[in-house]
Amino acid sequence: MNKKNFFFKKKTKVTLSEIKKLLFIKDNDKTIINDIKDLRSAKKNDISFYNSHRYFDLLKNCKANFIITNKKYKNKVQNYSKAIVVENVLKSVALVTSLFYPDSLNDTIDLNLAAPKIKSFNKVFFGKNTLIGENVKIGSKSMIGHNTIIESNVVIGSNCIIGNNVLIKNSIIGNNVRILDSAIIGKKGFGFFPNNNKNYRYPHIGIVVIEDNVEIGCNNTIDRGSLSNTVIGKNTFIDNQVHIAHNVNIGKNCIITAQVGFAGSSSVGEKVLIGGQAGISGHLKVGNNVQIGGGSGVIKNIPDNSKVMGYPAKDIRKFIKENK
Amino acid sequence: MNKKNFFFKKKTKVTLSEIKKLLFIKDNDKTIINDIKDLRSAKKNDISFYNSHRYFDLLKNCKANFIITNKKYKNKVQNYSKAIVVENVLKSVALVTSLFYPDSLNDTIDLNLAAPKIKSFNKVFFGKNTLIGENVKIGSKSMIGHNTIIESNVVIGSNCIIGNNVLIKNSIIGNNVRILDSAIIGKKGFGFFPNNNKNYRYPHIGIVVIEDNVEIGCNNTIDRGSLSNTVIGKNTFIDNQVHIAHNVNIGKNCIITAQVGFAGSSSVGEKVLIGGQAGISGHLKVGNNVQIGGGSGVIKNIPDNSKVMGYPAKDIRKFIKENK
Amino acid sequence: MNKKNFFFKKKTKVTLSEIKKLLFIKDNDKTIINDIKDLRSAKKNDISFYNSHRYFDLLKNCKANFIITNKKYKNKVQNYSKAIVVENVLKSVALVTSLFYPDSLNDTIDLNLAAPKIKSFNKVFFGKNTLIGENVKIGSKSMIGHNTIIESNVVIGSNCIIGNNVLIKNSIIGNNVRILDSAIIGKKGFGFFPNNNKNYRYPHIGIVVIEDNVEIGCNNTIDRGSLSNTVIGKNTFIDNQVHIAHNVNIGKNCIITAQVGFAGSSSVGEKVLIGGQAGISGHLKVGNNVQIGGGSGVIKNIPDNSKVMGYPAKDIRKFIKENK
């Protein structure tokens, strides 16, 4: 799902030479680069990056003229685009992202919150002590609970019920969505570069997209993406105390029970059932119609139509047989 | 523990023919049915339901004249009551519950909250920004923390300390109870019928009953029951970030440490100790004096006086031996 | 890290005979005892306690003249200090702590909260509905989010960002610290003595110390210590939904991902990486440069430079080999 990002202001007229200077590469090329994007969504005038064979299929189809990579992948990348070779791909991406989006490292407090101006909304119910940022859009017949904070630029559809003590930032939410009490949606992901004295923060310019008919449980934390978005697909229901890290992509009609955790950048297909307290490691692909037993630890990709359980998760028949 | 439910308005004068019509069964029987109840608490003029052999003992002693069931259990049920045979028992129960309790599908925002009217309470301390619903009862010498929300009809005993940012709805709370900061008590359970386009919600007319001397930790989520109640027994102490699903029944004097999760409808005896991050699957029975090691995944019933550990949980001596 | 405790008022001029009377020991010794402390931090005129061989090294170097212990350890203790022999060491420590700190059993609501007096702070931003206790100190250029509560006597350094809906009590926080939304820092630990009718609470006079450059994730719960402090070392970053029990000590430059849980009194070295949903049992020592895989259950000490995974956690090569 591709949603326009109006949460972070983008610098325009960035030249390739500016970008390369930041990466300690001398070059006078004044070509204008439009944006930094992941392999999937980059267009011709964008810059992208490649640092794992896991994403080779995306590389082959990537439209970007320029791709940041390292020595190891240089030759591979050059078959498809112009390679900009650096030592540390992710650090370079962070630097370039900060160049395009100078405010992206501030995940701070929204200074523009105020009581809602009732006239700006059509048939929206607001609870007591609700705080609303600038340019917030909320569809008709939606309800916003007591003490809830909706930060600037957030979009919420019609017929939604947002509970009490909820915090929403950097998010676009569909129609007929329920977000239960004390959920926290859209804060930056847990991404940074460790450093002995003071860690370097990683810019997060992705958002959270929640599609129609979704239910998000109490005390959930759903982090926004770094470059791409965190997405919860249509009609997916999520129980209490679930954690969803940055860039995670969950398909339609999934059922995710309490205390499940997703590490960053994993994707989950449609109609997936996940039992309580299961954990999904980062950068994995869980197929469609998968069932994951409660308490499982998923550390590799799971093909379509599988039933798995265990830590590490394996075929459920094997798990049951081994534990008789 | 049987507490009168004054949280959901019940329709009166419902006839058997109305109920059957809803389930696509033609019948002109004008017998008045009083309520829909689980097997344990149903009286003569109530309707109940049966869809698992797990509850056969309750069926044998059930007082209800009419029981909703399916083809498979029809003959068994007819030995004790009149069977109303349907295709999908739970969907039928949901429909009949919604007939008796037309508001039970609204788990929405309490529109009647306001600052507490101090005069209505005897020696109760209220923090700043506290919001209280209608007909809330709070015993003397209780304290209600800052930013806390107590929704309409909730009952809280004497000498209780309710922390800050707490949300309580559909609950009856005893004396000398402590509910620590940001706990969420009494929202609907995670029960619904999956549907391709838009899931059907399941009505939850149960409540949460918290007995005397209990302590509930920070960030706990305790969901109310669907038909029966969620109960936390006397003098049980619960640590932070614990999730307790709908219909769970926890006995007296239990100690439940942080990040434990209970799936729906499980029951736990008295003096049970549960270590951190353990998970208890749904519809299980954990006996008295049981000890469950940290991180365990309990997927079958546990008899009295057992010590278990592991995933799946097994006798602790076996677990230790296998992991030497 | 030794921080002066100005959160709990200490009784002065407590005599040894008063202490012994409380423990049902007759004695007329009018020696003034200054305080009750753990073995590590006790000085000459303090009283301390010993009830596990695990702490023998600390006993040998303890400066306290008097040490509460039981029959089993009496002879050992007498080699270094004067032993006060009791039946139940922890209950006796609780009694003596309550004698020195009569308010320590009240973990109640701060009655002195009010909107911040802006003039008392230098260049501090306060959000809407923020509540601040008495004698709170906040360094310049720090930001305090909306609906956040900072209880009396808390100290926060400069350049900090404290998110929305945060609750901080009994804590001292360094410079350049970020505490993300809805974290709860400094409430009492989950320590008490089970009793059939009504559990006895354990006094918690420790605090939470958070050093410079730390990041604490959303919905974290970090409990304060009982006698000693809970400490989060410099430049350690913690993800969402992590639980840290009383007396836990985490070193510098650690990375702790989401939904991890620490039981009481464990210590973690420097540069430790812990994967999501891992659990660390109580009273353990995890060394420096340790890596703990996601979902692991750590139930014994882990030496420096180890990589472990599994439940129970073992050498990661062994875990991978066994699960091929």
Side-chain angles (χ1 to χ4, degrees):
Chain A
M1 200 175 189
N2 228 324
K3 292 279 182 182
K4 201 178 169 215
N5 189 337
F6 35 79
F7 294 92
F8 301 94
K9 227 184 199 163
K10 185 162 69 78
K11 210 177 150 182
T12 53
K13 298 183 187 165
V14 175
T15 62
L16 188 62
S17 72
E18 270 180 278
I19 290 172
K20 288 198 168 172
K21 196 178 163 191
L22 207 65
L23 307 176
F24 303 103
I25 304 168
K26 275 197 185 161
D27 191 329
N28 268 324
D29 192 334
K30 299 295 184 201
T31 307
I32 298 289
I33 304 296
N34 182 53
D35 203 346
I36 181 159
K37 297 265 193 182
D38 61 20
L39 292 166
R40 195 191 308 264
S41 50
K43 296 195 180 132
K44 207 179 151 223
N45 296 321
D46 296 332
I47 193 166
S48 190
F49 68 101
Y50 184 76
N51 74 330
S52 162
H53 275 318
R54 206 191 289 261
Y55 298 111
F56 183 55
D57 283 347
L58 292 175
L59 174 68
K60 287 191 287 185
N61 297 302
C62 180
K63 296 186 186 120
N65 276 339
F66 299 96
I67 289 179
I68 297 169
T69 192
N70 56 21
K71 260 191 193 165
K72 186 177 168 192
Y73 299 120
K74 184 187 166 183
N75 290 333
K76 196 142 265 171
V77 166
Q78 281 181 331
N79 292 333
Y80 307 99
S81 303
K82 285 172 194 152
I84 297 173
V85 180
V86 298
E87 203 135 310
N88 186 319
V89 175
L90 286 182
K91 274 196 186 173
S92 303
V93 169
L95 284 169
V96 176
T97 306
S98 307
L99 175 66
F100 276 103
Y101 298 91
D103 303 333
S104 61
L105 282 168
N106 292 344
D107 196 65
T108 181
I109 291 138
D110 188 332
L111 307 182
N112 297 312
L113 297 188
K117 289 165 202 150
I118 306 294
K119 285 178 196 168
S120 319
F121 301 96
N122 178 27
K123 292 187 193 162
V124 174
F125 168 86
F126 291 98
K128 303 278 196 292
N129 303 327
T130 302
L131 294 171
I132 305 289
E134 292 183 338
N135 302 315
V136 166
K137 288 185 187 57
I138 305 176
S140 65
K141 296 187 196 160
S142 284
M143 303 180 78
I144 311 294
H146 309 283
N147 299 338
T148 281
I149 296 175
I150 313 287
E151 293 200 1
S152 298
N153 301 311
V154 164
V155 177
I156 296 174
S158 318
N159 290 306
C160 292
I161 303 180
I162 312 297
N164 306 301
N165 301 315
V166 169
L167 172 61
I168 305 178
K169 51 169 84 181
N170 309 297
S171 299
I172 298 180
I173 292 170
N175 298 316
N176 192 40
V177 168
R178 291 200 185 184
I179 296 184
L180 305 187
D181 312 288
S182 296
I184 301 175
I185 317 283
K187 72 110 187 142
K188 71 176 181 61
F190 190 63
F192 57 90
F193 302 108
N195 182 278
N196 249 342
N197 186 46
K198 192 174 158 184
N199 298 335
Y200 298 113
R201 296 179 185 280
Y202 195 95
H204 282 74
I205 58 160
I207 63 171
V208 174
V209 176
I210 296 179
E211 298 182 359
D212 294 349
N213 302 343
V214 163
E215 179 172 301
I216 305 287
C218 292
N219 279 343
N220 274 17
T221 49
I222 304 183
D223 291 351
R224 72 175 186 264
S226 47
L227 268 184
S228 43
N229 297 334
T230 303
V231 181
I232 313 296
K234 203 176 158 178
N235 203 34
T236 280
F237 272 39
I238 304 177
D239 200 355
N240 298 330
Q241 299 192 26
V242 169
H243 168 70
I244 299 178
H246 55 286
N247 302 336
V248 166
N249 206 304
I250 296 178
K252 295 178 196 176
N253 294 310
C254 295
I255 299 176
I256 296 162
T257 46
Q259 297 179 319
V260 165
F262 296 87
S265 300
S266 277
S267 75
V268 171
E270 303 187 2
K271 295 199 179 173
V272 172
L273 305 181
I274 307 184
Q277 297 186 330
I280 318 293
S281 288
H283 297 277
L284 296 180
K285 193 170 180 321
V286 173
N288 296 315
N289 299 306
V290 168
Q291 296 186 19
I292 299 173
S296 295
V298 177
I299 58 175
K300 57 181 186 185
N301 293 342
I302 309 282
D304 289 354
N305 307 311
S306 319
K307 294 188 188 186
V308 300
M309 190 162 178
Y311 168 61
K314 56 187 79 165
D315 185 277
I316 197 166
R317 285 160 305 188
K318 203 177 163 207
F319 175 81
I320 289 167
K321 203 176 152 193
E322 285 175 3
N323 288 290
K324 257 192 181 154
Chain B
M1 198 176 194
N2 227 323
K3 294 279 182 180
K4 198 175 174 221
N5 189 337
F6 35 80
F7 293 92
F8 302 94
K9 226 182 199 164
K10 185 162 69 76
K11 211 177 149 182
T12 52
K13 300 182 185 162
V14 175
T15 62
L16 188 62
S17 72
E18 270 180 278
I19 290 172
K20 289 199 166 172
K21 194 178 164 192
L22 206 64
L23 306 177
F24 303 102
I25 303 168
K26 277 198 185 162
D27 191 329
N28 268 325
D29 192 332
K30 297 294 184 202
T31 307
I32 298 288
I33 304 295
N34 182 53
D35 203 346
I36 180 158
K37 298 264 193 184
D38 61 20
L39 292 166
R40 194 192 309 264
S41 49
K43 297 196 179 130
K44 205 177 153 228
N45 296 322
D46 296 332
I47 192 167
S48 190
F49 68 101
Y50 184 76
N51 73 331
S52 163
H53 276 318
R54 206 191 287 260
Y55 300 110
F56 183 55
D57 282 347
L58 292 175
L59 175 68
K60 287 191 286 183
N61 297 303
C62 181
K63 298 186 184 116
N65 276 339
F66 298 96
I67 289 180
I68 296 169
T69 190
N70 56 21
K71 259 189 192 169
K72 185 178 168 192
Y73 300 121
K74 184 187 167 183
N75 289 334
K76 195 143 267 171
V77 166
Q78 283 182 329
N79 293 331
Y80 307 98
S81 303
K82 284 172 195 151
I84 297 173
V85 180
V86 298
E87 202 132 314
N88 186 318
V89 175
L90 287 183
K91 274 197 187 174
S92 304
V93 170
L95 284 169
V96 176
T97 306
S98 307
L99 174 66
F100 276 104
Y101 298 90
D103 302 333
S104 62
L105 282 168
N106 291 345
D107 196 66
T108 180
I109 290 137
D110 187 333
L111 307 181
N112 296 312
L113 297 189
K117 289 166 202 152
I118 306 295
K119 284 179 196 168
S120 320
F121 301 96
N122 177 27
K123 293 187 193 164
V124 174
F125 168 85
F126 290 99
K128 303 279 196 291
N129 304 326
T130 302
L131 293 171
I132 305 288
E134 293 184 338
N135 302 315
V136 167
K137 289 185 187 58
I138 304 176
S140 66
K141 297 188 195 159
S142 284
M143 303 179 78
I144 310 294
H146 310 282
N147 300 337
T148 281
I149 296 175
I150 313 287
E151 292 199 1
S152 298
N153 301 312
V154 164
V155 177
I156 296 175
S158 318
N159 290 305
C160 292
I161 303 180
I162 312 297
N164 307 301
N165 302 315
V166 169
L167 173 61
I168 305 178
K169 52 169 85 182
N170 308 298
S171 299
I172 298 179
I173 293 171
N175 299 315
N176 193 39
V177 168
R178 291 201 186 184
I179 296 184
L180 304 188
D181 312 289
S182 296
I184 300 175
I185 317 283
K187 72 112 188 139
K188 71 178 181 59
F190 190 64
F192 57 90
F193 303 108
N195 183 278
N196 250 341
N197 186 46
K198 193 174 158 184
N199 298 335
Y200 299 114
R201 298 178 183 281
Y202 194 96
H204 282 74
I205 58 160
I207 63 170
V208 174
V209 176
I210 296 180
E211 299 183 358
D212 293 349
N213 302 343
V214 163
E215 179 172 301
I216 305 288
C218 293
N219 279 343
N220 275 16
T221 49
I222 304 183
D223 290 352
R224 71 175 187 265
S226 48
L227 269 184
S228 43
N229 298 334
T230 303
V231 181
I232 313 295
K234 203 176 159 178
N235 203 34
T236 280
F237 272 38
I238 304 177
D239 200 354
N240 299 331
Q241 299 192 27
V242 168
H243 169 71
I244 299 178
H246 55 285
N247 302 337
V248 167
N249 205 305
I250 296 179
K252 295 179 194 176
N253 294 309
C254 295
I255 299 176
I256 296 163
T257 46
Q259 296 179 320
V260 164
F262 297 86
S265 301
S266 277
S267 74
V268 170
E270 302 188 2
K271 295 198 179 175
V272 172
L273 306 181
I274 307 184
Q277 297 186 331
I280 318 293
S281 287
H283 296 277
L284 296 181
K285 193 171 181 316
V286 172
N288 296 315
N289 300 306
V290 168
Q291 296 185 19
I292 299 173
S296 295
V298 177
I299 59 175
K300 57 180 186 184
N301 293 341
I302 309 282
D304 289 354
N305 307 311
S306 319
K307 294 187 189 186
V308 300
M309 190 162 179
Y311 169 60
K314 56 186 79 166
D315 185 277
I316 197 167
R317 287 161 304 189
K318 204 178 163 206
F319 175 80
I320 289 167
K321 203 176 152 193
E322 285 175 2
N323 288 290
K324 258 194 181 152
Chain C
M1 199 176 190
N2 227 322
K3 294 279 181 181
K4 202 176 169 217
N5 189 335
F6 34 78
F7 294 91
F8 302 93
K9 226 182 199 165
K10 184 163 70 77
K11 209 177 151 183
T12 53
K13 298 182 186 163
V14 174
T15 63
L16 189 61
S17 72
E18 270 179 278
I19 290 172
K20 288 199 168 173
K21 195 177 163 193
L22 207 63
L23 306 176
F24 303 103
I25 304 168
K26 275 197 186 166
D27 191 329
N28 268 326
D29 192 333
K30 297 295 183 200
T31 307
I32 298 289
I33 304 296
N34 183 52
D35 203 346
I36 180 159
K37 297 264 193 184
D38 62 21
L39 293 165
R40 194 192 308 265
S41 50
K43 296 197 181 129
K44 206 177 152 226
N45 296 322
D46 295 334
I47 192 166
S48 190
F49 68 102
Y50 184 75
N51 74 330
S52 163
H53 276 318
R54 206 191 288 260
Y55 299 111
F56 184 53
D57 282 348
L58 292 175
L59 174 67
K60 287 191 288 185
N61 297 303
C62 180
K63 297 186 184 117
N65 275 340
F66 298 96
I67 289 179
I68 296 169
T69 190
N70 57 20
K71 259 189 192 167
K72 185 178 167 193
Y73 299 120
K74 183 186 169 185
N75 290 335
K76 196 142 267 174
V77 166
Q78 282 182 328
N79 293 333
Y80 306 98
S81 303
K82 285 170 193 153
I84 298 174
V85 180
V86 297
E87 203 133 312
N88 186 318
V89 175
L90 287 183
K91 274 197 186 174
S92 304
V93 170
L95 284 168
V96 176
T97 305
S98 306
L99 174 66
F100 276 103
Y101 297 91
D103 303 333
S104 61
L105 281 168
N106 292 344
D107 195 67
T108 180
I109 290 138
D110 188 333
L111 307 182
N112 296 311
L113 296 189
K117 290 166 202 151
I118 306 294
K119 284 180 196 169
S120 319
F121 301 95
N122 178 26
K123 292 186 195 163
V124 173
F125 168 86
F126 291 99
K128 303 279 195 291
N129 303 328
T130 302
L131 293 170
I132 305 288
E134 292 184 340
N135 302 316
V136 166
K137 287 184 188 59
I138 304 175
S140 66
K141 296 187 198 161
S142 284
M143 303 180 79
I144 310 295
H146 309 282
N147 300 338
T148 281
I149 295 175
I150 313 286
E151 292 199 1
S152 298
N153 300 312
V154 163
V155 177
I156 296 174
S158 319
N159 291 304
C160 291
I161 303 181
I162 312 298
N164 306 302
N165 301 316
V166 169
L167 172 61
I168 305 179
K169 51 169 85 182
N170 308 298
S171 299
I172 298 179
I173 292 170
N175 299 315
N176 193 39
V177 168
R178 291 200 185 184
I179 296 184
L180 304 188
D181 311 290
S182 296
I184 300 175
I185 317 282
K187 71 112 187 138
K188 70 176 181 61
F190 190 64
F192 56 90
F193 302 108
N195 182 279
N196 248 341
N197 186 46
K198 192 174 159 184
N199 298 335
Y200 299 113
R201 297 178 184 280
Y202 194 96
H204 282 76
I205 58 160
I207 63 171
V208 174
V209 176
I210 296 180
E211 298 183 359
D212 294 349
N213 303 342
V214 163
E215 180 171 302
I216 305 288
C218 292
N219 278 344
N220 274 16
T221 48
I222 305 183
D223 290 352
R224 71 176 188 266
S226 47
L227 268 185
S228 45
N229 298 334
T230 303
V231 181
I232 313 295
K234 203 177 158 177
N235 202 34
T236 280
F237 272 38
I238 303 176
D239 201 354
N240 298 331
Q241 300 192 26
V242 169
H243 168 70
I244 299 178
H246 55 286
N247 302 337
V248 166
N249 205 305
I250 296 179
K252 294 178 195 174
N253 294 308
C254 294
I255 298 176
I256 295 162
T257 45
Q259 297 180 320
V260 165
F262 296 87
S265 301
S266 277
S267 75
V268 171
E270 302 187 2
K271 294 197 180 174
V272 172
L273 305 181
I274 306 183
Q277 297 186 331
I280 318 292
S281 286
H283 296 278
L284 296 181
K285 194 171 180 317
V286 173
N288 297 315
N289 300 305
V290 167
Q291 296 185 18
I292 299 172
S296 295
V298 177
I299 59 175
K300 58 181 184 183
N301 294 342
I302 309 282
D304 289 354
N305 307 310
S306 319
K307 293 187 189 185
V308 301
M309 190 161 180
Y311 168 61
K314 56 186 80 166
D315 186 277
I316 197 167
R317 285 161 305 190
K318 204 177 163 205
F319 175 80
I320 289 168
K321 203 176 151 191
E322 285 175 3
N323 287 291
K324 258 192 181 155

